[in-house]
Amino acid sequence: MSIVYLNGEFIPAEQARISPMDRGFLFGDGIYEVIPSYNGRFVGFAEHIARMQQGLAELSIDPQLNLADWQTLATRLLQDNNNTIGSNQAVYIQVSRGADTKRNHAFPLHIKPTVFAYSFAIAAEPVADKAKASCYSVITGQDLRWQRCHIKSTSLLGNVLHYQQGYAAGAQEILLFDAQGNLTEGAAVNVFVVKNGVIATPPLSHKLLPGITRLLLLNILRKHSTMQVEERDISEQEVLNADEIWITSSSKEIAPVLQVNGQPVGDGTVGDVWLAAQQLFSAHKYD
Ligand code: PDD
């Protein structure tokens, strides 16, 4: 039986209850995080919490928990669930504004945030091995989400519809482009392209989530390699002509995309730059 955290208590999942008047349920009025861990070690824990705190501040939600509190909470979840879930777990955290007695769009003043966290099994850590890489087919589409994609909000309908669009087309992700034709991100991933050995990813803005895998990867590449890395606008044409495309997220780390709209990316095989990048990421992600 798995143990979850809800509003200060560690309880069996079956006993966790929240009100249907919770604004997370009624409005998607909340923030979430997904933090991976392997054998009890989190990847980018402080960075994930910093992004969550920033999102909560933007929504004026204050659960009154600091980094050390979150660390204690998440570590306890890993420990309590190690026997049932295993040693590779991601911790999902969700903080909503809380439950009021009536439904009203305005922020209620005197309610307490609802804090929920649970852990779930994830695959073993990705390895830098071309033969073992999890590879993806994607389609492209126009980004029809809102103008606050930098907030990791539980209001994920825009992302869900885009993800489903890719899924319905037989793909596993969708690469999204803004009204100017520039790449933003995927439905649940950030995107990198490689051309002639140069690595590029879109710059941070309200158009995309500041992914923690993206952040760690950029830092690692800049610190531990001489590879050229750019944060800049990337057109659809550039994506379609790229030698390599990668999608990044906490669960995937760096995953090669081998097909876009049914066409091969580069020569259609896992690239050498991916291999070098995943090697560096695997070596330094816990630094
Ligand atoms: N998705 N962009 C979007 C829209 C995302 O939802 C995610 C993560 C990312 C990658 O961010 P990170 O590297 O911090 O995981 C980019 C999570 C895992 C999810 O919704 O399950």
Side-chain angles (χ1 to χ4, degrees):
M1 187 186 310
S2 75
I3 298 296
V4 305
Y5 173 92
L6 181 63
N7 297 330
E9 291 184 305
F10 290 86
I11 52 177
E14 293 75 7
Q15 289 172 24
R17 298 278 181 274
I18 62 162
S19 165
M21 295 306 287
D22 195 282
R23 289 175 63 100
F25 181 60
L26 294 179
F27 294 112
D29 185 358
I31 294 288
Y32 78 103
E33 269 303 326
V34 181
I35 314 174
S37 77
Y38 302 99
N39 299 312
R41 281 206 291 176
F42 284 108
V43 180
F45 192 85
E47 289 85 353
H48 277 277
I49 296 301
R51 177 174 66 185
M52 183 172 73
Q53 307 278 33
Q54 215 163 339
L56 289 167
E58 287 213 39
L59 303 193
S60 304
I61 296 174
D62 182 6
Q64 305 198 333
L65 295 167
N66 62 27
L67 175 61
D69 298 326
W70 289 115
Q71 181 96 46
T72 305
L73 188 165
T75 303
R76 164 107 184 250
L77 272 184
L78 293 191
Q79 286 163 355
D80 285 1
N81 290 303
N82 194 61
N83 287 341
T84 46
I85 292 181
S87 56
N88 300 324
Q89 300 177 45
V91 170
Y92 175 93
I93 301 174
Q94 169 163 341
V95 182
S96 79
R97 196 176 305 282
D100 199 0
T101 50
K102 57 186 183 305
R103 181 180 176 277
N104 176 7
H105 287 60
F107 298 174
L109 291 180
H110 302 295
I111 59 173
K112 273 177 65 175
T114 300
V115 182
F116 170 65
Y118 81 106
S119 66
F120 58 94
I122 54 174
E125 30 196 339
V127 287
D129 179 338
K130 285 188 183 183
K132 292 186 184 150
S134 296
C135 302
Y136 286 79
S137 300
V138 305
I139 61 165
T140 57
Q142 192 187 344
D143 194 337
L144 298 177
R145 300 171 303 160
W146 66 339
Q147 298 297 306
R148 294 174 179 167
C149 292
H150 62 291
I151 301 176
K152 199 166 172 67
S153 160
T154 56
S155 310
L156 278 175
L157 188 55
N159 299 64
V160 166
L161 291 177
H162 276 316
Y163 192 87
Q164 187 62 25
Q165 190 182 345
Y167 189 75
Q172 298 111 31
E173 252 295 353
I174 178 167
L175 308 186
L176 299 169
F177 294 84
D178 67 14
Q180 287 72 46
N182 288 319
L183 177 65
T184 57
E185 59 179 339
V189 291
N190 291 114
V191 185
F192 287 71
V193 297
V194 181
K195 188 73 182 177
N196 299 326
V198 179
I199 301 164
T201 194
L204 294 184
S205 74
H206 63 282
K207 295 179 182 177
L208 62 150
L209 188 79
I212 301 306
T213 317
R214 176 192 180 281
L215 172 70
L216 297 179
L217 177 59
L218 288 174
N219 289 344
I220 289 169
L221 290 172
R222 286 175 176 148
K223 188 165 173 199
H224 297 284
S225 86
T226 54
M227 287 189 257
Q228 201 178 325
V229 185
E230 300 174 346
E231 293 174 77
R232 60 167 176 83
D233 287 340
I234 298 168
S235 70
E236 184 156 10
Q237 213 46 44
E238 276 187 83
V239 171
L240 298 177
N241 291 328
D243 296 333
E244 298 183 28
I245 301 175
W246 314 332
I247 51 180
T248 66
S249 79
S250 293
S251 54
K252 296 182 176 65
E253 295 197 349
I254 312 163
V257 173
L258 297 189
Q259 275 202 355
V260 178
N261 298 330
Q263 300 298 312
V265 176
D267 66 4
T269 65
V270 179
D272 292 335
V273 187
W274 171 82
L275 185 63
Q278 180 64 58
Q279 265 164 357
L280 287 166
F281 193 86
S282 298
H284 297 289
K285 66 186 178 189
Y286 298 114
D287 289 358

